[in-house]
Amino acid sequence: MTIRVTIVDDQAMVRAGFAALLAAQSDIDVVGDAPDGLQGVELSRRVHPDVVLMDVRMPEMDGLEAARQLLDPPIGVSHRPKVLMLTTFDVDDYVYEALRAGASGFLLKDAPPADLISAVRVVAAGEALLAPSVTRRLIADFARQRPKPRKDRASLRLNGLTPRETEVLELIARGLSNQEIAGSLVLAEQTVKTHIGRVLAKLDLRDRAQAVIFAYESGLVSPGER
């Protein structure tokens, strides 16, 4: 299956470079690009991409607001693409908010070309791009900087999980891949996928990215823990 991608970035050279790299892949089709969030949302509604590469800081509408509009569309709009945020270290707080809104992860703009290609495929497959250690560190930093959350309601939601599902959620929050979780808990990888599906359903979470945020904000995982 061909992955349909749009690129939203205010730098023309970035859009052109990413488009050329991705279009060279046999399983990826770049179906459009836009210079700001407003046009990016309009483009997505028109061409229905599978994945949107979204810069954070742009004129007219920033990437965070554009991601919110794509991931929580108005009544009558059924299309909801996967959103992969493009960022640099100085705007990481925006990325955290984008993950809370339902973005599937983020990629540093200076990442190697192979990482960009892999990221598009991972996100298109329904996974969250949360495995790199940099992501674990940044999310932990955000959680540490914020006031302690009220855990009452979150704790009630956690009580609905089995002990095994709670273990799986904790390992997801630490940035482990399905394969690493399987190794840690001595389970088949397919069993891990089943547990993750149940965790998301019970907690009413959209994807793995939101599971990480929930684990930190509920207090299940403390910032800085390994």
Side-chain angles (χ1 to χ4, degrees):
M1 182 188 77
T2 300
I3 303 168
R4 295 167 58 82
V5 176
T6 59
I7 303 167
V8 185
D9 193 293
D10 61 342
Q11 296 182 359
M13 289 185 65
V14 171
R15 297 198 307 273
F18 283 3
L21 176 65
L22 294 172
Q25 311 306 309
S26 60
D27 60 336
I28 299 176
D29 185 13
V30 178
V31 295
D33 64 82
D36 60 63
L38 183 62
Q39 294 185 53
V41 171
E42 294 173 348
L43 175 66
S44 178
R45 300 262 164 84
R46 188 169 68 251
V47 303
H48 292 180
D50 300 304
V51 177
V52 177
L53 295 180
M54 182 77 73
D55 190 19
V56 174
R57 287 184 175 174
M58 293 179 291
E60 299 297 330
M61 180 189 292
D62 66 23
L64 177 56
E65 179 58 29
R68 286 183 179 133
Q69 292 196 18
L70 291 177
L71 295 167
D72 188 19
I75 296 174
V77 177
S78 58
H79 178 253
R80 191 168 70 182
K82 305 292 185 182
V83 176
L84 178 61
M85 305 302 295
L86 301 171
T87 188
T88 54
F89 277 106
D90 63 332
V91 290
D92 292 325
D93 196 46
Y94 289 93
V95 176
Y96 177 86
E97 295 298 339
L99 290 174
R100 293 190 67 194
S104 294
F106 71 87
L107 188 71
L108 297 178
K109 279 190 174 183
D110 60 357
D115 286 2
L116 172 64
I117 296 167
S118 174
V120 168
R121 290 170 176 156
V122 166
V123 169
E127 293 291 326
L129 196 67
L130 292 171
S133 59
V134 63
T135 308
R136 294 197 297 267
R137 186 175 69 250
L138 292 175
I139 291 179
D141 286 344
F142 300 139
R144 185 182 301 112
Q145 293 164 11
R146 290 165 188 274
K148 276 197 168 183
R150 291 185 61 183
K151 301 177 184 178
D152 297 349
R153 188 175 177 185
S155 296
L156 288 174
R157 293 168 69 186
L158 281 173
N159 288 341
L161 301 182
T162 67
R164 179 63 82 188
E165 289 164 353
T166 302
E167 285 182 303
V168 169
L169 175 58
E170 182 177 346
L171 294 177
I172 290 174
R174 299 191 190 288
L176 273 66
S177 67
N178 289 357
Q179 185 175 14
E180 290 169 336
I181 294 173
S184 177
L185 299 180
V186 194
L187 297 172
E189 192 168 345
Q190 185 57 49
T191 302
V192 171
K193 291 180 180 179
T194 299
H195 283 310
I196 292 174
R198 289 174 179 164
V199 167
L200 297 180
K202 287 183 177 181
L203 298 178
D204 193 25
L205 301 173
R206 183 178 295 135
D207 57 25
R208 196 184 190 104
Q210 289 196 331
V212 172
I213 300 302
F214 177 88
Y216 276 103
E217 293 192 334
S218 68
L220 176 64
V221 175
S222 298
E225 287 183 353
R226 292 293 178 185

